[in-house]
């Protein structure tokens, strides 16, 4: 897998994942919507750590700066 995520993109995804996780933990979101959002948060965090997003690949997006 070739990296296709830049540092700003990773930071935004991690912040969104943290916010969703916090809202779920505090009980502001629950039920089916809460579970769906937690899955999205896990995917966001995972793609941030591996520096690769399959959806970026499909659409030809690359936010990683070329060295």
């Amino acid at each position: 897998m070739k990296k296709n995520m830049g540092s700003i993109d990773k930071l935004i995804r991690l912040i969104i994942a943290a916010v969703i996780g916090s809202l779920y933990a505090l009980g502001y979101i629950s039920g089916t919507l809460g579970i769906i959002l937690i899955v999205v948060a896990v995917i966001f965090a995972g793609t941030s750590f591996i520096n690769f997003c399959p959806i970026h690949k499909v659409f030809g997006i690359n936010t990683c700066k070329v060295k």
Side-chain angles (χ1 to χ4, degrees):
M1 291 181 292
K2 187 177 179 184
K3 293 180 181 181
N4 65 1
M5 289 178 58
S7 58
I8 295 175
D9 192 10
K10 291 188 307 186
L11 180 64
I12 290 170
R13 287 172 181 255
L14 287 173
I15 290 171
I16 291 171
V19 167
I20 291 172
S22 298
L23 290 174
Y24 186 79
L26 294 173
Y28 288 108
I29 54 175
S30 61
T32 305
L33 176 63
I35 293 170
I36 291 169
L37 289 175
I38 287 296
V39 169
V40 169
V42 168
I43 291 170
F44 274 13
T47 57
S48 294
F49 289 121
I50 63 171
N51 297 324
F52 179 78
C53 178
I55 294 175
H56 281 193
K57 179 79 171 171
V58 170
F59 290 111
I61 300 170
N62 186 354
T63 59
C64 185
K65 294 191 178 186
V66 178
K67 294 181 181 179

